Amino acid sequence: MGKRIGVEVSIAIADAVKLARAEVIPAYPITPQTHIVEHLAEIVANGELDAEYIPVESEHAAMSACCGAVAAGARVFTSSSSQGLSLMSEILYIPSTMRLPMVMVVANRAMSAPISIWNDHQDIMVQRDIGWIQTFAENGQEAVDLVLHAFRVAEDRRVSLPMIVNIDGFTLSHVIEPIELPTQEEVDAYIPPFKPKRKLDPRKPVTMGPVGIPEVYTEAKVAHDHAIKNSRKVILKAWKEFADHFGREYHPVESYKAEGADTILVTMGSISETAMTAIDKMRDEGRNVGLVRIRLWRPFPAQEFRAATKHAKVLAVVDRCLPPGAVCGPVGAELRSIFYKIPGAPKIFSFVAGLGGRDVTVERFEEIIDKAEQYSKRRPKELYEVIGVREK
Amino acid sequence: MKENIKSRHQKHGLETSAVNTWCKGCGNFGILTALKSVLAKREDTLGSLVLVSGIGCHAKIVDYVAVNSFYSIHGRVLPVACGIKTANPRLTIIGHAGDGDAYGEGISHLVFAAKRNNDLVFIVHNNRVYGLTTGQFTPTSPKGFKGRSTPKGSIEEPFNPLRLMLASGATFVARGYAGKHAHLASLIEQAMVHPGFAFIDVLQPCFTFYNTYKFYNEKVVEIRDEHPVDDFDAAWKLAGKWDYGLEADQIPIGIFYRIRKDTYEEELLPKETPSLDVALHLKRHHF
């Protein structure tokens, strides 16, 4: 096992990509993701990684080049954020249905307008339905671990799907944390060489990406849906083996003091660590509260989530995305759906917080829990509430 | 609106309350100075002027000039500018873009704006490095450029934007230098009165990530009056004198090419209403 060292999370992610032996890296700079691909450019230039780095002309080109490189049989990595991720949008649906595995780290950032380089989850929620497997990291070590896990899962022949690891922009990407990077031998033992199911091979010609006429389009989409649902088993097994190899355990849904809690706070991403502090404080004050964090966003772990919250009376769900005109935030909507008509289901209250880099403090989490408990007794006027809006 | 802007300018000139956050020594200051000196002379037109910018260090220019502006998104200056101009052709539009905007993400828009001869001024703040994301290779970085995404030096030849514009059908092709304000101001002034797509590539040193002041100060020469600006072959030849590489004998600045062709707006809009008012148009068509 490698040594634990203080390192910027973006740099550690790039090192993880090196350890995973990525072969083609097409990338375009965008804040706050830039350090990841910059460091990879350096690693490739130094000869530490036998890979091709393409400084492409746009994110649209980056994602297109990723598709081409996987089709030709290479292990592929890229990274983006916000508007850059949105510029990829046209392409993002393609590798998933075409079953072209690759790994992308998204350093989550708000969407314009107004222009913001700071963190929230609006960029990735725009891409909720692209059909990629998606995980969320809470800290630097998790970011590294989830990147290694992503290569292992994405390229598994039973899965063969692209995968996004979400890390909060700046909050994670730009902080220095104590991170343990495994050795090359350990990673090689965990991630086998990429053997694509299909690739562009002159000896066995195939047509990739042809037209899906109405007679087959539905079936192609259903096949993709089956693939992402079935990936669950591989995702879980890869996490179990990760624990065997590296000693750190991961689950689709993580609980913190949630056992027997009446009110459970639900979070995703790096705010979860502040949320734990809030739970500790409220527990000390005698409140029966807990926390559940969603690590696996797609495929959504409905079964695990219900199990983790089965005794709760109230769920206070925090979304870091405001979908204007919708009935609530995307995580809130997901949870309301999975509990619909389930006997004894908790009451679910949806909150939106931490937009465009606004901190979500311990006090804010206390406010959210207090409000959810009040609303469980007296129905709120609105279907969701934005926390911490300045009145002047 | 016009009156308000006028009275504002009488009080404060073109200054805004925004704090300038460009690095000390940034070439953008030269472009801002040149632009302001032109606008100061044309106070009567300020009410109908719109600045459009993209994303990057250059884009902050719209914060520093007290006129109407639209701060768009990376690469999309020209489509936004075209939209504004088409909806209200009486407005004068100056688009500002970086080299990433103009020659990277937005290059298709640039080629099409030249092809269509949209009646716009387009100023490219070409520092040949991504400044805001702190120092990566761009489409006009020279071959061998050592940036953060090309630590061993870029392996690609840069674009020659002037030749790209000539080949795309631009009717006004110029190059300025941020270190020569008065010359640049004269280019902007002439671009503003040019009917059609007026393109100015401005050599803009990035003091922090790609300091080219010394190189440009030594190499830049003003194009002589004898240069036949309506001669495509002469313009093509002159534009080829320097290919944006690391070496140069001389870097000509000035107007390379200028011809008069019908603009997109002249072709698009009814001849009898050359300055079509949108409100009037909507009223006339009972929308």
Side-chain angles (χ1 to χ4, degrees):
Chain A
M1 187 57 73
K3 252 175 47 187
R4 179 176 288 228
I5 50 159
V7 59
E8 187 188 308
V9 173
S10 290
I11 305 299
I13 288 171
D15 286 334
V17 173
K18 179 188 87 172
L19 289 167
R21 298 187 189 275
E23 292 166 316
V24 178
I25 305 158
Y28 192 82
I30 183 168
T31 307
Q33 159 279 133
T34 310
H35 289 187
I36 299 172
V37 296
E38 247 176 31
H39 190 53
L40 278 166
E42 213 174 293
I43 290 170
V44 173
N46 290 345
E48 290 174 55
L49 174 64
D50 182 15
E52 312 307 330
Y53 181 94
I54 321 175
V56 286
E57 64 275 25
S58 72
E59 289 87 354
H60 194 267
M63 187 40 60
S64 303
C66 286
C67 291
V70 184
R75 177 169 288 170
V76 172
F77 175 82
T78 191
S79 182
S80 197
S81 293
S82 182
Q83 311 299 132
L85 182 68
S86 277
L87 189 57
M88 288 180 175
S89 193
E90 186 194 11
I91 317 300
L92 290 173
Y93 287 79
I94 292 170
S96 51
T97 309
M98 282 178 65
R99 312 286 298 276
L100 300 172
M102 64 181 84
V103 176
M104 169 155 66
V105 168
V106 176
N108 301 119
R109 164 182 153 181
M111 293 294 297
S112 295
I115 297 166
S116 168
I117 57 168
W118 295 278
N119 168 232
D120 66 27
H121 292 168
Q122 295 187 83
D123 59 354
I124 195 61
M125 290 306 163
V126 174
Q127 312 300 344
R128 191 189 60 177
D129 298 330
I130 52 176
W132 292 44
I133 300 171
Q134 295 192 31
T135 55
F136 275 82
E138 288 174 21
N139 56 48
Q141 185 68 59
E142 289 193 10
V144 164
D145 294 352
L146 292 180
V147 165
L148 298 175
H149 173 257
F151 279 108
R152 163 77 190 256
V153 172
E155 293 175 0
D156 188 299
R157 280 185 164 206
R158 291 163 293 175
V159 176
S160 201
L161 284 169
M163 204 155 158
I164 287 173
V165 177
N166 289 286
I167 65 154
D168 285 319
F170 291 112
T171 320
L172 288 187
S173 64
H174 283 56
V175 297
I176 293 174
E177 289 192 15
I179 293 174
E180 189 179 283
L181 277 167
T183 63
Q184 187 64 63
E185 293 69 35
E186 287 168 328
V187 174
D188 288 345
Y190 181 65
I191 305 174
F194 179 34
K195 287 188 186 145
K197 209 167 180 175
R198 289 167 217 89
K199 67 173 179 177
L200 297 171
D201 180 348
R203 288 165 301 181
K204 290 183 212 160
V206 291
T207 299
M208 287 197 179
V211 173
I213 53 172
E215 286 77 3
V216 300
Y217 184 87
T218 302
E219 287 68 27
K221 286 298 179 190
V222 171
H224 175 195
D225 188 44
H226 284 175
I228 194 163
K229 279 181 183 145
N230 292 338
S231 70
R232 195 176 154 273
K233 281 172 273 178
V234 180
I235 294 167
L236 298 186
K237 188 156 179 280
W239 267 331
K240 196 182 164 297
E241 283 177 28
F242 191 92
D244 297 341
H245 281 257
F246 306 105
R248 287 180 292 276
E249 274 189 38
Y250 291 101
H251 306 98
V253 167
E254 306 279 0
S255 298
Y256 183 73
K257 302 187 177 177
E259 188 79 16
D262 290 330
T263 301
I264 289 180
L265 187 64
V266 183
T267 57
M268 209 154 71
S270 66
I271 59 166
S272 305
E273 298 210 332
T274 315
M276 285 183 215
T277 310
I279 295 298
D280 287 343
K281 184 165 178 260
M282 294 179 93
R283 281 268 177 183
D284 287 347
E285 291 161 3
R287 305 273 295 268
N288 191 15
V289 296
L291 171 70
V292 166
R293 298 109 65 199
I294 299 167
R295 180 181 314 289
L296 179 64
W297 172 232
R298 285 291 181 271
F300 191 80
Q303 193 185 321
E304 287 88 348
F305 191 89
R306 282 198 213 101
T309 55
K310 67 180 170 197
H311 299 301
K313 297 188 178 78
V314 176
L315 298 187
V317 188
V318 184
D319 259 291
R320 303 202 57 201
C321 167
L322 176 59
V327 291
C328 69
V331 182
E334 203 83 22
L335 299 185
R336 281 179 178 157
S337 296
I338 66 165
F339 281 109
Y340 182 66
K341 288 206 168 168
I342 298 255
K347 289 183 176 173
I348 301 172
F349 301 99
S350 168
F351 298 90
V352 173
L355 298 182
R358 179 78 53 89
D359 279 338
V360 189
T361 59
V362 169
E363 293 71 31
R364 288 291 180 213
F365 283 120
E366 289 178 285
E367 181 188 342
I368 288 167
I369 289 173
D370 287 344
K371 283 189 165 165
E373 289 185 350
Q374 283 164 25
Y375 294 155
S376 70
K377 292 177 195 112
R378 203 170 145 208
R379 209 182 159 79
K381 282 193 193 117
E382 304 293 339
L383 285 164
Y384 65 93
E385 183 171 338
V386 185
I387 292 294
V389 183
R390 285 191 291 111
E391 297 294 333
K392 55 182 176 180
Chain B
M1 188 73 177
K2 209 167 175 179
E3 281 311 303
N4 288 344
I5 286 180
K6 216 169 189 175
S7 62
R8 195 201 144 90
H9 287 141
Q10 276 160 2
K11 260 192 223 158
H12 308 286
L14 290 160
E15 296 301 314
T16 68
S17 58
V19 178
N20 194 308
T21 57
W22 286 327
C23 303
K24 279 182 185 165
C26 176
N28 277 314
F29 285 106
I31 302 173
L32 179 64
T33 304
L35 177 73
K36 278 186 168 175
S37 73
V38 175
L39 300 187
K41 279 199 273 181
R42 301 188 43 139
E43 234 177 63
D44 56 316
T45 64
L46 294 181
S48 59
L49 180 71
V50 182
L51 302 184
V52 183
S53 72
I55 295 284
C57 295
H58 82 273
K60 298 175 187 172
I61 198 165
V62 302
D63 289 340
Y64 309 144
V65 188
V67 295
N68 281 308
S69 65
F70 194 119
Y71 201 137
S72 73
I73 203 71
H74 195 47
R76 316 300 160 204
V77 176
L78 284 167
V80 172
C82 291
I84 297 170
K85 185 71 181 177
T86 309
N88 190 351
R90 288 192 307 182
L91 297 175
T92 300
I93 319 286
I94 303 180
H96 292 267
D99 38 326
D101 267 295
Y103 310 139
E105 293 219 350
I107 193 165
S108 60
H109 309 310
L110 177 64
V111 170
F112 273 86
K115 172 183 178 286
R116 293 186 183 119
N117 200 25
N118 284 112
D119 190 13
L120 310 164
V121 177
F122 191 54
I123 299 173
V124 183
H125 300 221
N126 186 2
N127 56 9
R128 306 164 69 209
V129 69
Y130 290 128
L132 203 61
T133 52
T134 68
Q136 298 83 15
F137 143 98
T138 80
T140 45
S141 302
K143 187 173 179 181
F145 176 82
K146 286 187 181 177
R148 291 189 177 179
S149 59
T150 51
K152 282 219 162 159
S154 145
I155 55 170
E156 294 175 34
E157 292 287 353
F159 271 124
N160 179 332
L162 303 188
R163 281 194 158 174
L164 175 71
M165 285 293 85
L166 287 167
S168 305
T171 54
F172 182 107
V173 178
R175 178 160 62 206
Y177 171 40
K180 283 186 179 280
H181 313 158
H183 179 262
L184 179 58
S186 133
L187 294 181
I188 295 173
E189 215 171 349
Q190 293 180 75
M192 283 176 76
V193 296
H194 174 75
F197 188 62
F199 167 87
I200 311 172
D201 181 65
V202 184
L203 303 174
Q204 179 226 318
C206 171
F207 197 72
T208 308
F209 296 108
Y210 192 31
N211 188 353
T212 43
Y213 277 114
K214 191 169 175 286
F215 177 65
Y216 292 145
N217 284 341
E218 282 169 8
K219 305 291 181 184
V220 156
V221 285
E222 290 180 26
I223 294 171
R224 285 197 225 144
D225 291 343
E226 302 92 83
H227 170 66
V229 287
D230 57 351
D231 182 338
F232 183 90
D233 292 337
W236 184 263
K237 201 173 158 203
L238 192 61
K241 275 210 155 199
W242 178 54
D243 266 336
Y244 290 71
L246 287 167
E247 306 289 331
D249 288 334
Q250 285 188 334
I251 301 176
I253 56 167
I255 298 174
F256 287 66
Y257 189 59
R258 175 165 58 189
I259 55 159
R260 176 71 168 100
K261 266 201 321 209
D262 279 351
T263 69
Y264 185 73
E265 291 72 17
E266 283 166 341
E267 296 277 3
L268 180 74
L269 300 167
K271 291 276 188 252
E272 65 273 20
T273 52
S275 56
L276 181 69
D277 183 293
V278 172
L280 192 69
H281 179 77
L282 296 178
K283 202 172 157 191
R284 203 178 282 158
H285 291 84
H286 311 289
F287 282 112

